[in-house]
Amino acid sequence: MLLLKLFYIPVTLGFAIPQNVSPAVNRITRPITPYPSGFPTAPDECDDLSQGPSEDCLRVSRKLGAFFYDKSCTNDKRFKLNTAFYDAFALANHAKGWPNIVHGSQTANYYMGPDYISPTYQQRIADNIQRAADFFTTETNDYITIVCNDPKNYCQRKVQDPNNPGKSIPMKIGGYAWTYSILWWYYHNINMCDIFYDISTIANRLDQGPDHANDLAWFQTSGSFVLHEMMHTRLINRADPHIGDEFLDPDGAPGDRRAYGPKFVHRLARIPPGSPNKGGAQRSSTNADSYAQLFSALYWWATWDIFPRASGEALNANTVDNSLYPRPSDEADDFPVMISMDIVNGVSNVDALFDAAALGYGSETSSIDLSSATATPQPPKRQLFCHGVSEHQWIVSRDVAVQNTADFCKQASTSVEYNQGSPNDLRLSLPNTVNPSLLIPAAPDCLDRFVLLLDSCDGNYTSSDGWLYSITPLAIQTKADDYEVSYRFLFNTFERRGKNFPDALPGEDGMGLLSQLRGCGPVTEWSFEITPKEPTYQWYAHGHLLIGTKRCVGRATVSAGGITAGNCQGAE
């Protein structure tokens, strides 16, 4: 019988971290997204998220693509999710072709483990990276719905500590995912919790400069968290072994930590592979966050020319004994936690499945700030010039403004007026305050920054490289509305018309107005329609409420952007 023995060869990374430098940023070419307007809304046949998708849902989904937003996702959340998924796409696309890319070997050595050179592990990692880079465009029988209303009530869930009965583990749930397996199809649902929408983007970290360029914890962006969650899906992880969330100790000792975040991902990479330790790329290649950290490290090293290490960890990848496992003094980085429950078909207690998946992330706090704000000490907050409904000038249609910015970024003039004479009349300008000779084609991330500016309700913004982004609405808006609440037997019926409201106020399909009205009680017979041929108003809403809600309807209409609570008729 032939006996094979696995030898673990210590490998030291042959590079050093530059200290006290301020490198020029290397702008990485961003891929073109196949979803310039974001993902479509999930079809009506797929509304029930409590069960697996119906045959009708799967049939309709196949005609529309792999990605959907649930109807619970507001325009504001969709914008932030669009940015997060696009950033995830950019991170993965940069790693395409690994290991034959710049810094590919050194980064994998540090975050995957020296045994990544094993043909088995190297092929597994390379295949998963390639699928991650192609995840937007791959034709597949797998579907992903992004959800925003916490349908399982897990965002604030208190997970019980199995080592301390009666006590719960405080943690930040950034999101969670569950999957239904139907024949050869996988239907993934990913819910993002409120904390997710405050996480920094790639553009945020670029603007904040290279001060933290040697600390990968600083570069945990919304895109890297999306990539973590995507690595669990069959859209990327098509073959065995499945990509999960590995513990450092393969035996799952009490108090063990997951390999999550740069520090513990690097620890897993440094644990020798093979029995009894089973570390290195042997398990890093099946750990979702090892891929997320590898993508991020490759991207930011190429951006700042400084290797982003795991904070507090040694720079080499030498063999270290079991002291690599968590010690009582270890602190877990205070990152939002992304929980994957994987397949829930036939699981009688999904809550218990979630609690088990949520163990091992730690509860200690750290000083890492994942918000889009600059690190402490913070600079004075720039003044906001909001063009909202409290002023006389604003942009009525966000979609028109986004298209204008896309057109603006493709031409050379530093100042252009669009939609002259219409309610969407605006001026876009982008001079460089450091080098006035620079023209628009030299501005990095032009469209991304303008859209961020538009949705931040901020009139102008100067980036760290001297570009002054400015959106100036020029149309003087005369906002108008009219509504009536009249008494009918046992209920009040209301009618509402309006014009020149920013898109977000009545909302898509009138959902912004409906949300306010539901604060008055159950709304029935609801309808909302755009009225392009009506000479005075642009939309019309109708519905029924219980009697005694007249004053509430007046207040609700003002909350949804109305001018006055009015003098409505109806039962008090």
Side-chain angles (χ1 to χ4, degrees), residues 292-499:
Q293 303 309 325
L294 178 66
F295 290 134
S296 295
L298 287 167
Y299 190 93
W300 293 106
W301 192 358
T303 298
W304 298 120
D305 286 332
I306 295 179
F307 176 68
R309 64 192 282 184
S311 179
E313 298 296 299
L315 185 57
N316 63 61
N318 284 347
T319 303
V320 183
D321 61 16
N322 288 357
S323 66
L324 281 171
Y325 294 144
R327 299 177 287 273
S329 60
D330 277 340
E331 287 189 352
D333 290 315
D334 194 27
F335 301 138
V337 177
M338 309 299 289
I339 305 295
S340 175
M341 294 179 282
D342 201 25
I343 297 172
V344 298
N345 296 58
V347 176
S348 59
N349 190 342
V350 178
D351 289 352
L353 186 65
F354 177 87
D355 288 351
L359 294 177
Y361 291 96
S363 59
E364 297 87 352
T365 59
S366 76
S367 59
I368 295 297
D369 176 16
L370 286 178
S371 72
S372 57
T374 306
T376 311
Q378 301 207 9
K381 187 173 181 177
R382 66 181 189 270
Q383 185 179 0
L384 298 179
F385 300 95
C386 291
H387 302 282
V389 297
S390 61
E391 304 294 335
H392 296 294
Q393 292 171 284
W394 67 84
I395 301 166
V396 170
S397 174
R398 176 188 182 276
D399 291 342
V400 170
V402 170
Q403 183 58 55
N404 294 155
T405 60
D407 295 339
F408 180 77
C409 291
K410 295 175 183 176
Q411 54 84 59
S413 176
T414 58
S415 181
V416 178
E417 181 177 349
Y418 291 92
N419 319 309
Q420 194 168 6
S422 80
N424 291 301
D425 195 349
L426 63 90
R427 177 173 296 281
L428 300 174
S429 62
L430 183 55
N432 190 288
T433 58
V434 176
N435 185 353
S437 66
L438 292 177
L439 299 178
I440 302 300
D445 303 317
C446 175
L447 178 57
D448 286 352
R449 287 179 174 178
F450 263 120
V451 174
L452 180 65
L453 180 64
L454 179 68
D455 288 313
S456 297
C457 194
D458 187 353
N460 59 67
Y461 156 62
T462 303
S463 64
S464 59
D465 45 5
W467 292 97
L468 173 58
Y469 294 78
S470 180
I471 302 175
T472 307
L474 299 175
I476 297 177
Q477 309 288 4
T478 302
K479 188 173 51 169
D481 63 355
D482 174 69
Y483 61 92
E484 176 183 348
V485 178
S486 56
Y487 175 72
R488 300 291 186 270
F489 182 64
L490 293 182
F491 60 83
N492 279 332
T493 184
F494 60 84
E495 294 181 310
R496 172 77 187 278
R497 298 171 178 84
K499 74 170 184 178

Side-chain angles (χ1 to χ4, degrees), residues 235-272:
L235 200 66
I236 293 175
N237 179 212
R238 293 180 179 276
D240 289 333
H242 179 60
I243 296 176
D245 295 305
E246 297 278 1
F247 284 96
L248 293 184
D249 185 343
D251 297 324
D256 193 16
R257 293 263 168 77
R258 305 265 185 182
Y260 188 78
K263 175 166 60 178
F264 292 116
V265 161
H266 175 57
R267 293 268 187 98
L268 180 64
R270 292 171 65 199
I271 295 173

Side-chain angles (χ1 to χ4, degrees), residues 98-176:
W98 180 93
N100 301 314
I101 62 173
V102 176
H103 307 315
S105 298
Q106 301 99 314
T107 309
N109 194 345
Y110 191 84
Y111 284 110
M112 281 288 181
D115 57 324
Y116 84 89
I117 59 176
S118 158
T120 298
Y121 304 145
Q122 185 169 125
Q123 190 64 53
R124 179 189 300 165
I125 295 168
D127 287 347
N128 287 328
I129 288 175
Q130 182 67 37
R131 285 189 287 265
D134 295 336
F135 77 83
F136 263 161
T137 56
T138 300
E139 292 187 7
T140 177
N141 286 327
D142 305 331
Y143 305 93
I144 297 175
T145 298
I146 298 95
V147 190
C148 302
N149 64 343
D150 191 15
K152 296 186 179 295
N153 296 316
Y154 289 157
C155 287
Q156 303 298 325
R157 185 172 177 80
K158 303 298 183 184
V159 180
Q160 297 301 307
D161 187 344
N163 300 312
N164 295 285
K167 294 186 177 180
S168 61
I169 303 173
M171 64 173 59
K172 296 178 178 179
I173 306 297
Y176 58 90

